[in-house]
């Protein structure tokens, strides 16, 4: 299921001062046009947490605070909201049931530290 949320909706749902909201999230969202596309999708909290921990945690430990608030939710649905601005992706996690804020992060793809391709065989 997807939900129509605007950039303005996300701005209003973010706590003004919360350790779970990096300052960069506010900066990027304040600079993004109100009509920018917001990609949304529902996912079980446990599944999302497992994917982040298994696939990204080692190379991108800054993503761990994004999923820490999901632990007590078990299989409850989380609404993942993403906005792109240049090389940055803002991700905001909301409880799907009531759209309550859970966490947020800014991810700068221009400084990715992990290799996008990990060879499985030796080259000849």
């Amino acid at each position: 299921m997807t939900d129509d949320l605007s950039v303005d909706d996300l701005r209003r749902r973010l706590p003004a001062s919360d350790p779970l909201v990096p300052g960069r999230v506010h900066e990027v969202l304040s600079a993004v046009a109100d009509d920018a596309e917001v990609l949304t999708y529902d996912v079980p909290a446990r599944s999302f947490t497992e994917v982040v921990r298994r696939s990204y945690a080692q190379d991108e430990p800054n993503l761990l605070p994004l999923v820490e608030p999901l632990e007590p939710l078990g299989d409850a649905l989380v609404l993942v909201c993403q906005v792109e601005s240049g090389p940055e992706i803002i991700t905001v996690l909301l409880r799907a049931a009531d759209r309550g804020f859970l966490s947020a992060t800014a991810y700068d793809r221009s400084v990715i530290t992990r290799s996008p391709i990990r060879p499985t065989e030796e080259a000849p």
Side-chain angles (χ1 to χ4, degrees):
M1 178 181 112
T2 60
D3 195 353
D4 291 328
L5 284 175
S6 68
V7 171
D8 189 52
D9 289 332
L10 290 181
R11 289 182 193 127
R12 284 184 286 120
R13 291 177 190 283
L14 290 176
S17 61
D18 185 314
L20 295 177
V21 184
R24 189 68 187 144
V25 170
H26 289 291
E27 292 170 21
V28 172
L29 283 180
S30 68
V32 173
D34 289 342
D35 62 350
E37 181 181 5
V38 178
L39 171 68
T40 61
Y41 56 94
D42 288 339
V43 63
R46 185 184 330 269
S47 298
F48 189 78
T49 299
E50 288 172 2
V51 167
V52 169
R53 289 188 188 283
R54 183 179 60 245
S55 302
Y56 299 100
Q58 181 178 345
D59 297 321
E60 301 297 336
N62 59 322
L63 293 178
L64 291 177
L66 180 69
V67 297
E68 287 172 359
L70 305 184
E71 297 289 337
L73 298 178
D75 290 324
L77 291 178
V78 172
L79 182 64
V80 179
C81 309
Q82 294 182 313
V83 177
E84 290 189 42
S85 178
E88 291 183 283
I89 299 175
I90 301 302
T91 302
V92 177
L93 302 182
L94 306 173
R95 284 185 306 272
D98 64 2
R99 304 305 187 246
F101 174 79
L102 293 166
S103 63
T105 194
Y107 184 76
D108 188 344
R109 291 176 288 191
S110 68
V111 294
I112 292 175
T113 57
R114 68 189 204 125
S115 171
I117 300 173
R118 296 187 184 202
T120 58
E121 297 179 21
E122 290 279 326

